[in-house]
Amino acid sequence: MEIFDPGHENLLSNTTYLYDNSPCGHLSFYPGKHIFCINQTLLDWIGLDREEVINQKRFQDLITVGGKMYYQMVVLSLLNRQGFLNEINFDVAVKNGDAFPCLFNACGIKGEDGKTVAVHATILKITDRKEYESELLRSKKMAEEERKRFESLSNIIPEIIWTALANGNVNFMNERFFEYFTHTDAVPRKTALLHIIHQKHCNKIFRSWAQSVQRGEKFEAEVLLKKQSDQYEWFLVRAVPYKNDAGHIEMWFGSCTNINEHKKKQELKVESLNNSLSEAGEIISTKEKTLHEIAYSQSHLVRRPLANIIGLVEMLEYTEQADTNNALVSMLKQSAAELDEMVKDIVLKV
């Protein structure tokens, strides 16, 4: 571990050295009169020598024109009244004609009459901070302009458009929404969408929306929304997340599309299909009943000619006389014809 020379430590802890090399500017002056003390840090910032400032310049000579007016009209009176000032914003002039922003902090030394006779002040250079603030203001202004542009565009299109924050809270609905749906002043405009969902869908929709927000996935649902006091219509509600370059969701863009006519036609088709299925079921049931009746009532009729055929075939096997065989064949043909008629009759009944 390196050990500093005692002489160096004495120098670094010397109050004069600390004052001159402080990371902020220090100066002391008489109100309305000259500066009688200033540190090296502030001299380096303004680009002047000590001899050019001590007993030569007033504090207001170091600041820009707008700051001079504010100093005369506000700062001096505040110092006299309360004896101190915190974070007054001034622009300090530099020798080359530039200026840098600073925060001015001061405390007043009062005389016996209660008036401020001297001022000790510090100057904090805030150039980087000002640039950062300016960038934030520019970004905020651009974001506000983009928001107004989006809202203006969404208000002229025929679709119902809405947006939500990254956490899923709805924060905007276009004018088309309020033209189409009933809205009362008792319900905040930003949450009006939540109050027109049919009660039977609420729990399911809220759960699905919460899951989509949590997972960062597209949301889509068919839901009944209240148009008038007791009238509901079907809408397709959609929402997609908008993500920044880092992949984090910044907001959600959503829409509500009326699908009521499509839904009605769909329901009619389903109803028609159900009716057709019911009719088909009835026909099948009737056919089954008919088959059972035929099987029960016609089975003996079918078996009689079949039994004749079987018997005649057996007789043919044991008879060799031609006349007898011809008679048997004739009877066989007759029984076959009767069996054929029975089958045709069954087919016609089915």
Side-chain angles (χ1 to χ4, degrees), residues 155-194:
N155 284 331
I156 64 175
I157 61 178
E159 294 294 327
I160 297 172
I161 302 297
W162 55 275
T163 63
L165 301 175
N167 61 4
N169 291 337
V170 178
N171 64 340
F172 168 77
M173 285 167 290
N174 66 345
E175 292 301 322
R176 177 65 173 156
F177 175 91
F178 297 101
E179 291 172 359
Y180 196 84
F181 296 106
T182 302
H183 177 260
T184 62
D185 294 336
V187 177
R189 287 172 66 92
K190 290 183 178 180
T191 60
L193 177 60
L194 307 178

Side-chain angles (χ1 to χ4, degrees), residues 10 23 31 42 51 67 90 104 109 126 134 143 153 159 183 190 212 215 249 251 263 270 285 299 309 322 336 340 342:
N10 291 335
L42 185 53
E51 293 75 16
F90 285 121
F104 176 80
I109 308 301
I126 57 171
S134 298
L153 179 62
E159 294 294 327
H183 177 260
K190 290 183 178 180
S212 294
R215 298 172 182 172
I249 296 176
M251 64 185 306
K263 199 70 176 178
V270 171
S285 178
S299 59
I309 292 174
D340 183 56
M342 292 292 180

Side-chain angles (χ1 to χ4, degrees), residues 147-309:
R147 183 188 65 80
K148 290 181 179 179
R149 189 178 296 113
F150 167 77
E151 290 184 1
S152 298
L153 179 62
S154 65
N155 284 331
I156 64 175
I157 61 178
E159 294 294 327
I160 297 172
I161 302 297
W162 55 275
T163 63
L165 301 175
N167 61 4
N169 291 337
V170 178
N171 64 340
F172 168 77
M173 285 167 290
N174 66 345
E175 292 301 322
R176 177 65 173 156
F177 175 91
F178 297 101
E179 291 172 359
Y180 196 84
F181 296 106
T182 302
H183 177 260
T184 62
D185 294 336
V187 177
R189 287 172 66 92
K190 290 183 178 180
T191 60
L193 177 60
L194 307 178
H195 293 272
I196 61 173
I197 300 175
H198 197 285
Q199 187 175 2
K200 70 178 182 179
H201 293 164
C202 282
N203 292 335
K204 181 180 178 182
I205 293 299
F206 290 160
R207 283 197 302 269
S208 298
W209 175 236
Q211 290 176 357
S212 294
V213 171
Q214 184 179 9
R215 298 172 182 172
E217 300 174 347
K218 179 179 71 173
F219 173 80
E220 187 172 301
E222 294 181 357
V223 59
L224 282 169
L225 299 181
K226 184 188 292 186
K227 182 180 178 182
Q228 295 178 0
S229 57
D230 294 321
Q231 294 184 355
Y232 285 85
E233 291 187 353
W234 283 101
F235 279 81
L236 177 62
V237 181
R238 290 173 173 169
V240 293
Y242 173 76
K243 300 181 180 180
N244 56 24
D245 294 337
H248 299 143
I249 296 176
E250 292 190 348
M251 64 185 306
W252 293 78
F253 290 97
S255 65
C256 299
T257 305
N258 192 312
I259 58 169
N260 200 59
E261 291 300 319
H262 171 75
K263 199 70 176 178
K264 285 183 177 179
K265 291 178 180 179
Q266 190 179 62
E267 290 174 350
L268 289 174
K269 288 181 179 179
V270 171
E271 184 179 356
S272 176
L273 178 61
N274 289 334
N275 292 335
S276 298
L277 291 174
S278 297
E279 291 175 2
E282 292 177 359
I283 292 172
I284 291 172
S285 178
T286 301
K287 291 294 184 180
E288 288 181 350
K289 184 178 180 180
T290 301
L291 288 174
H292 283 297
E293 290 177 352
I294 292 172
Y296 179 77
S297 61
Q298 301 293 327
S299 59
H300 66 286
L301 297 177
V302 174
R303 286 186 59 82
R304 182 175 59 80
L306 183 59
N308 292 338
I309 292 174

Side-chain angles (χ1 to χ4, degrees), residues 19-20 24-27 35 37-54 57 62 92-95 100:
Y19 178 82
D20 260 345
C24 61
H26 295 289
L27 75 161
I35 297 170
C37 190
I38 187 170
N39 75 339
Q40 189 60 45
T41 301
L42 185 53
L43 289 171
D44 293 340
W45 287 349
I46 62 179
L48 296 174
D49 295 328
R50 196 178 300 274
E51 293 75 16
E52 294 178 279
V53 177
I54 300 298
K57 291 186 179 293
L62 302 183
V92 176
V94 181
K95 186 177 181 179
F100 65 84

Side-chain angles (χ1 to χ4, degrees), residues 130-142:
K130 275 292 184 179
E131 290 178 355
Y132 178 69
E133 289 177 350
S134 298
E135 183 63 29
L136 283 179
L137 288 174
R138 283 194 295 269
S139 299
K140 184 177 180 181
K141 184 178 180 180
M142 290 178 61

